[in-house]
Amino acid sequence: MSVPDAPATGVPSDPSDPVTAAPARPSRLDAAIAARLRRTADGLVAAVVRAHDSGEVLMVAWMDDEALHRTLTTGRATYWSRSRREYWVKGATSGHHQYVRSVALDCDGDALLVSVDQVGAACHTGHRTCFFTELPVTAPEAR
């Protein structure tokens, strides 16, 4: 999905650096915010999503500059689908909406912490969280 008449933002100080390379899709994200992002080679930043009320981690998704712009300006969690190669607003088809309460950028600029009011399940499997499979930890107890 293209954004008509939207200027590209996020041009890094070193355009040859693949980690901070500018996004491939145009965006209306504030240039000061875009300049702080460290993106993957395909222009994405990991978004860790947690429940605002409990702090429970619900899911991890991906955002490019425009998805972050839409999230910040609409209050609805918007992500970039790597498989479908399009934007998706959480809950648009499932009815399991995420209403954004806050967004924080980590110290390295390569991850976002999105606090949401979750309506319904966060996971596409119908579970409240995507992290429902516990793995066994067999390492000796740390002291």
Side-chain angles (χ1 to χ4, degrees):
M1 168 186 265
S2 65
V3 179
D5 302 319
T9 61
V11 178
S13 58
D14 180 3
S16 65
D17 181 357
V19 175
T20 59
R25 294 164 293 281
S27 175
R28 296 168 288 174
L29 182 64
D30 179 275
I33 296 171
R36 297 184 63 189
L37 299 177
R38 286 184 39 107
R39 302 164 193 83
T40 64
D42 50 353
L44 302 174
V45 176
V48 178
V49 183
R50 71 174 176 181
H52 177 74
D53 56 356
S54 68
E56 176 185 28
V57 176
L58 301 172
M59 59 182 272
V60 175
W62 295 95
M63 290 185 178
D64 68 354
D65 288 36
E66 181 61 16
L68 179 56
H69 167 75
R70 293 179 189 189
T71 297
L72 294 171
T73 59
T74 66
R76 298 289 304 278
T78 305
Y79 307 106
W80 176 255
S81 170
R82 295 179 299 168
S83 58
R84 294 188 309 267
R85 306 209 43 82
E86 65 184 14
Y87 295 103
W88 56 282
V89 177
K90 184 68 174 171
T93 56
S94 68
H96 299 166
H97 301 282
Q98 292 177 342
Y99 298 99
V100 178
R101 298 289 296 268
S102 67
V103 178
L105 182 62
D106 82 334
C107 59
D108 295 320
D110 60 0
L112 299 161
L113 180 61
V114 183
S115 293
V116 301
D117 288 328
Q118 178 69 47
V119 176
C123 185
H124 71 280
T125 64
H127 289 85
R128 172 156 173 77
T129 172
C130 293
F131 297 95
F132 56 86
T133 304
E134 291 283 333
L135 301 177
V137 177
T138 58
E141 242 182 85
R143 296 185 189 189

PDB file of all heavy atoms in Angstrom, residues 84-102:
ATOM      1  N   ARG A  84       2.701 -10.673   3.814  1.00  0.00           N
ATOM      2  CA  ARG A  84       1.739 -10.107   2.855  1.00  0.00           C
ATOM      3  C   ARG A  84       2.280  -8.849   2.173  1.00  0.00           C
ATOM      4  O   ARG A  84       1.686  -8.363   1.211  1.00  0.00           O
ATOM      5  CB  ARG A  84       0.415  -9.794   3.552  1.00  0.00           C
ATOM      6  CG  ARG A  84      -0.305 -11.033   4.044  1.00  0.00           C
ATOM      7  CD  ARG A  84      -1.701 -10.717   4.560  1.00  0.00           C
ATOM      8  NE  ARG A  84      -1.747  -9.624   5.529  1.00  0.00           N
ATOM      9  CZ  ARG A  84      -1.681  -9.766   6.848  1.00  0.00           C
ATOM     10  NH1 ARG A  84      -1.564 -10.963   7.379  1.00  0.00           N
ATOM     11  NH2 ARG A  84      -1.736  -8.714   7.637  1.00  0.00           N
ATOM     12  N   ARG A  85       3.364  -8.292   2.747  1.00  0.00           N
ATOM     13  CA  ARG A  85       3.972  -7.073   2.223  1.00  0.00           C
ATOM     14  C   ARG A  85       2.962  -5.927   2.147  1.00  0.00           C
ATOM     15  O   ARG A  85       2.831  -5.242   1.129  1.00  0.00           O
ATOM     16  CB  ARG A  85       4.654  -7.315   0.874  1.00  0.00           C
ATOM     17  CG  ARG A  85       5.658  -8.455   0.946  1.00  0.00           C
ATOM     18  CD  ARG A  85       6.816  -8.417   0.019  1.00  0.00           C
ATOM     19  NE  ARG A  85       7.510  -7.176  -0.182  1.00  0.00           N
ATOM     20  CZ  ARG A  85       8.447  -6.671   0.629  1.00  0.00           C
ATOM     21  NH1 ARG A  85       8.774  -7.283   1.733  1.00  0.00           N
ATOM     22  NH2 ARG A  85       9.057  -5.551   0.322  1.00  0.00           N
ATOM     23  N   GLU A  86       2.244  -5.745   3.275  1.00  0.00           N
ATOM     24  CA  GLU A  86       1.278  -4.659   3.367  1.00  0.00           C
ATOM     25  C   GLU A  86       1.093  -4.267   4.823  1.00  0.00           C
ATOM     26  O   GLU A  86       1.479  -5.008   5.734  1.00  0.00           O
ATOM     27  CB  GLU A  86      -0.067  -5.069   2.763  1.00  0.00           C
ATOM     28  CG  GLU A  86      -0.756  -6.191   3.511  1.00  0.00           C
ATOM     29  CD  GLU A  86      -2.044  -6.664   2.849  1.00  0.00           C
ATOM     30  OE1 GLU A  86      -2.286  -6.322   1.679  1.00  0.00           O
ATOM     31  OE2 GLU A  86      -2.815  -7.375   3.514  1.00  0.00           O
ATOM     32  N   TYR A  87       0.489  -3.100   5.030  1.00  0.00           N
ATOM     33  CA  TYR A  87       0.190  -2.644   6.383  1.00  0.00           C
ATOM     34  C   TYR A  87      -1.041  -3.372   6.894  1.00  0.00           C
ATOM     35  O   TYR A  87      -1.930  -3.730   6.128  1.00  0.00           O
ATOM     36  CB  TYR A  87      -0.049  -1.133   6.397  1.00  0.00           C
ATOM     37  CG  TYR A  87       1.188  -0.369   6.020  1.00  0.00           C
ATOM     38  CD1 TYR A  87       1.320   0.184   4.756  1.00  0.00           C
ATOM     39  CD2 TYR A  87       2.236  -0.237   6.913  1.00  0.00           C
ATOM     40  CE1 TYR A  87       2.470   0.851   4.401  1.00  0.00           C
ATOM     41  CE2 TYR A  87       3.393   0.434   6.553  1.00  0.00           C
ATOM     42  CZ  TYR A  87       3.505   0.973   5.300  1.00  0.00           C
ATOM     43  OH  TYR A  87       4.656   1.623   4.948  1.00  0.00           O
ATOM     44  N   TRP A  88      -1.057  -3.603   8.209  1.00  0.00           N
ATOM     45  CA  TRP A  88      -2.261  -4.146   8.835  1.00  0.00           C
ATOM     46  C   TRP A  88      -2.476  -3.493  10.177  1.00  0.00           C
ATOM     47  O   TRP A  88      -1.539  -3.261  10.928  1.00  0.00           O
ATOM     48  CB  TRP A  88      -2.240  -5.671   8.934  1.00  0.00           C
ATOM     49  CG  TRP A  88      -1.078  -6.290   9.652  1.00  0.00           C
ATOM     50  CD1 TRP A  88       0.182  -6.476   9.177  1.00  0.00           C
ATOM     51  CD2 TRP A  88      -1.062  -6.827  10.984  1.00  0.00           C
ATOM     52  NE1 TRP A  88       0.969  -7.090  10.123  1.00  0.00           N
ATOM     53  CE2 TRP A  88       0.234  -7.326  11.239  1.00  0.00           C
ATOM     54  CE3 TRP A  88      -2.028  -6.945  11.983  1.00  0.00           C
ATOM     55  CZ2 TRP A  88       0.591  -7.918  12.440  1.00  0.00           C
ATOM     56  CZ3 TRP A  88      -1.668  -7.537  13.184  1.00  0.00           C
ATOM     57  CH2 TRP A  88      -0.366  -8.016  13.387  1.00  0.00           C
ATOM     58  N   VAL A  89      -3.723  -3.144  10.409  1.00  0.00           N
ATOM     59  CA  VAL A  89      -4.131  -2.564  11.677  1.00  0.00           C
ATOM     60  C   VAL A  89      -4.646  -3.722  12.516  1.00  0.00           C
ATOM     61  O   VAL A  89      -5.571  -4.427  12.114  1.00  0.00           O
ATOM     62  CB  VAL A  89      -5.235  -1.504  11.492  1.00  0.00           C
ATOM     63  CG1 VAL A  89      -5.703  -0.960  12.838  1.00  0.00           C
ATOM     64  CG2 VAL A  89      -4.732  -0.382  10.591  1.00  0.00           C
ATOM     65  N   LYS A  90      -4.029  -3.927  13.675  1.00  0.00           N
ATOM     66  CA  LYS A  90      -4.417  -5.049  14.539  1.00  0.00           C
ATOM     67  C   LYS A  90      -5.900  -4.949  14.854  1.00  0.00           C
ATOM     68  O   LYS A  90      -6.367  -3.932  15.355  1.00  0.00           O
ATOM     69  CB  LYS A  90      -3.583  -5.043  15.822  1.00  0.00           C
ATOM     70  CG  LYS A  90      -3.850  -6.215  16.726  1.00  0.00           C
ATOM     71  CD  LYS A  90      -3.364  -7.508  16.118  1.00  0.00           C
ATOM     72  CE  LYS A  90      -3.505  -8.650  17.119  1.00  0.00           C
ATOM     73  NZ  LYS A  90      -3.248  -9.923  16.523  1.00  0.00           N
ATOM     74  N   GLY A  91      -6.632  -6.001  14.515  1.00  0.00           N
ATOM     75  CA  GLY A  91      -8.055  -6.075  14.801  1.00  0.00           C
ATOM     76  C   GLY A  91      -8.948  -5.720  13.627  1.00  0.00           C
ATOM     77  O   GLY A  91     -10.161  -5.902  13.706  1.00  0.00           O
ATOM     78  N   ALA A  92      -8.389  -5.220  12.538  1.00  0.00           N
ATOM     79  CA  ALA A  92      -9.213  -4.810  11.397  1.00  0.00           C
ATOM     80  C   ALA A  92     -10.041  -5.970  10.846  1.00  0.00           C
ATOM     81  O   ALA A  92     -11.178  -5.775  10.431  1.00  0.00           O
ATOM     82  CB  ALA A  92      -8.345  -4.209  10.299  1.00  0.00           C
ATOM     83  N   THR A  93      -9.487  -7.169  10.852  1.00  0.00           N
ATOM     84  CA  THR A  93     -10.257  -8.326  10.371  1.00  0.00           C
ATOM     85  C   THR A  93     -10.693  -9.240  11.504  1.00  0.00           C
ATOM     86  O   THR A  93     -11.746  -9.853  11.420  1.00  0.00           O
ATOM     87  CB  THR A  93      -9.449  -9.149   9.341  1.00  0.00           C
ATOM     88  OG1 THR A  93      -8.215  -9.546   9.922  1.00  0.00           O
ATOM     89  CG2 THR A  93      -9.177  -8.338   8.089  1.00  0.00           C
ATOM     90  N   SER A  94      -9.903  -9.315  12.580  1.00  0.00           N
ATOM     91  CA  SER A  94     -10.218 -10.242  13.678  1.00  0.00           C
ATOM     92  C   SER A  94     -11.153  -9.648  14.721  1.00  0.00           C
ATOM     93  O   SER A  94     -11.801 -10.386  15.469  1.00  0.00           O
ATOM     94  CB  SER A  94      -8.933 -10.677  14.386  1.00  0.00           C
ATOM     95  OG  SER A  94      -8.370  -9.572  15.083  1.00  0.00           O
ATOM     96  N   GLY A  95     -11.191  -8.326  14.821  1.00  0.00           N
ATOM     97  CA  GLY A  95     -11.951  -7.682  15.880  1.00  0.00           C
ATOM     98  C   GLY A  95     -11.190  -7.609  17.195  1.00  0.00           C
ATOM     99  O   GLY A  95     -11.691  -7.094  18.182  1.00  0.00           O
ATOM    100  N   HIS A  96      -9.954  -8.115  17.214  1.00  0.00           N
ATOM    101  CA  HIS A  96      -9.115  -8.105  18.417  1.00  0.00           C
ATOM    102  C   HIS A  96      -8.185  -6.886  18.360  1.00  0.00           C
ATOM    103  O   HIS A  96      -7.010  -7.002  18.036  1.00  0.00           O
ATOM    104  CB  HIS A  96      -8.324  -9.404  18.534  1.00  0.00           C
ATOM    105  CG  HIS A  96      -9.201 -10.606  18.639  1.00  0.00           C
ATOM    106  ND1 HIS A  96      -8.730 -11.873  18.467  1.00  0.00           N
ATOM    107  CD2 HIS A  96     -10.528 -10.742  18.886  1.00  0.00           C
ATOM    108  CE1 HIS A  96      -9.711 -12.750  18.614  1.00  0.00           C
ATOM    109  NE2 HIS A  96     -10.817 -12.072  18.862  1.00  0.00           N
ATOM    110  N   HIS A  97      -8.730  -5.747  18.689  1.00  0.00           N
ATOM    111  CA  HIS A  97      -8.056  -4.463  18.508  1.00  0.00           C
ATOM    112  C   HIS A  97      -6.992  -4.187  19.562  1.00  0.00           C
ATOM    113  O   HIS A  97      -7.048  -4.708  20.665  1.00  0.00           O
ATOM    114  CB  HIS A  97      -9.090  -3.335  18.551  1.00  0.00           C
ATOM    115  CG  HIS A  97     -10.138  -3.475  17.505  1.00  0.00           C
ATOM    116  ND1 HIS A  97      -9.924  -3.141  16.193  1.00  0.00           N
ATOM    117  CD2 HIS A  97     -11.414  -3.920  17.576  1.00  0.00           C
ATOM    118  CE1 HIS A  97     -11.012  -3.371  15.501  1.00  0.00           C
ATOM    119  NE2 HIS A  97     -11.941  -3.856  16.318  1.00  0.00           N
ATOM    120  N   GLN A  98      -6.054  -3.336  19.172  1.00  0.00           N
ATOM    121  CA  GLN A  98      -5.050  -2.815  20.095  1.00  0.00           C
ATOM    122  C   GLN A  98      -5.126  -1.295  20.058  1.00  0.00           C
ATOM    123  O   GLN A  98      -4.871  -0.679  19.021  1.00  0.00           O
ATOM    124  CB  GLN A  98      -3.642  -3.276  19.714  1.00  0.00           C
ATOM    125  CG  GLN A  98      -3.428  -4.751  19.907  1.00  0.00           C
ATOM    126  CD  GLN A  98      -2.054  -5.218  19.470  1.00  0.00           C
ATOM    127  OE1 GLN A  98      -1.353  -4.547  18.720  1.00  0.00           O
ATOM    128  NE2 GLN A  98      -1.672  -6.400  19.936  1.00  0.00           N
ATOM    129  N   TYR A  99      -5.497  -0.711  21.201  1.00  0.00           N
ATOM    130  CA  TYR A  99      -5.557   0.730  21.338  1.00  0.00           C
ATOM    131  C   TYR A  99      -4.289   1.178  22.055  1.00  0.00           C
ATOM    132  O   TYR A  99      -4.032   0.777  23.191  1.00  0.00           O
ATOM    133  CB  TYR A  99      -6.814   1.140  22.093  1.00  0.00           C
ATOM    134  CG  TYR A  99      -8.062   0.736  21.341  1.00  0.00           C
ATOM    135  CD1 TYR A  99      -8.757  -0.416  21.692  1.00  0.00           C
ATOM    136  CD2 TYR A  99      -8.508   1.484  20.250  1.00  0.00           C
ATOM    137  CE1 TYR A  99      -9.887  -0.812  20.978  1.00  0.00           C
ATOM    138  CE2 TYR A  99      -9.638   1.095  19.538  1.00  0.00           C
ATOM    139  CZ  TYR A  99     -10.322  -0.043  19.911  1.00  0.00           C
ATOM    140  OH  TYR A  99     -11.431  -0.437  19.206  1.00  0.00           O
ATOM    141  N   VAL A 100      -3.496   1.995  21.398  1.00  0.00           N
ATOM    142  CA  VAL A 100      -2.159   2.351  21.866  1.00  0.00           C
ATOM    143  C   VAL A 100      -2.231   3.368  22.993  1.00  0.00           C
ATOM    144  O   VAL A 100      -2.870   4.404  22.885  1.00  0.00           O
ATOM    145  CB  VAL A 100      -1.317   2.900  20.697  1.00  0.00           C
ATOM    146  CG1 VAL A 100       0.070   3.313  21.169  1.00  0.00           C
ATOM    147  CG2 VAL A 100      -1.218   1.855  19.589  1.00  0.00           C
ATOM    148  N   ARG A 101      -1.555   3.042  24.091  1.00  0.00           N
ATOM    149  CA  ARG A 101      -1.444   3.948  25.239  1.00  0.00           C
ATOM    150  C   ARG A 101      -0.106   4.675  25.241  1.00  0.00           C
ATOM    151  O   ARG A 101      -0.027   5.823  25.627  1.00  0.00           O
ATOM    152  CB  ARG A 101      -1.614   3.159  26.540  1.00  0.00           C
ATOM    153  CG  ARG A 101      -2.967   2.483  26.679  1.00  0.00           C
ATOM    154  CD  ARG A 101      -4.085   3.491  26.913  1.00  0.00           C
ATOM    155  NE  ARG A 101      -3.939   4.210  28.153  1.00  0.00           N
ATOM    156  CZ  ARG A 101      -4.474   3.858  29.321  1.00  0.00           C
ATOM    157  NH1 ARG A 101      -5.236   2.787  29.391  1.00  0.00           N
ATOM    158  NH2 ARG A 101      -4.257   4.563  30.398  1.00  0.00           N
ATOM    159  N   SER A 102       0.976   3.977  24.827  1.00  0.00           N
ATOM    160  CA  SER A 102       2.286   4.626  24.754  1.00  0.00           C
ATOM    161  C   SER A 102       3.196   3.822  23.834  1.00  0.00           C
ATOM    162  O   SER A 102       2.977   2.632  23.608  1.00  0.00           O
ATOM    163  CB  SER A 102       2.922   4.744  26.145  1.00  0.00           C
ATOM    164  OG  SER A 102       3.237   3.471  26.660  1.00  0.00           O
TER     165      SER A 102
END
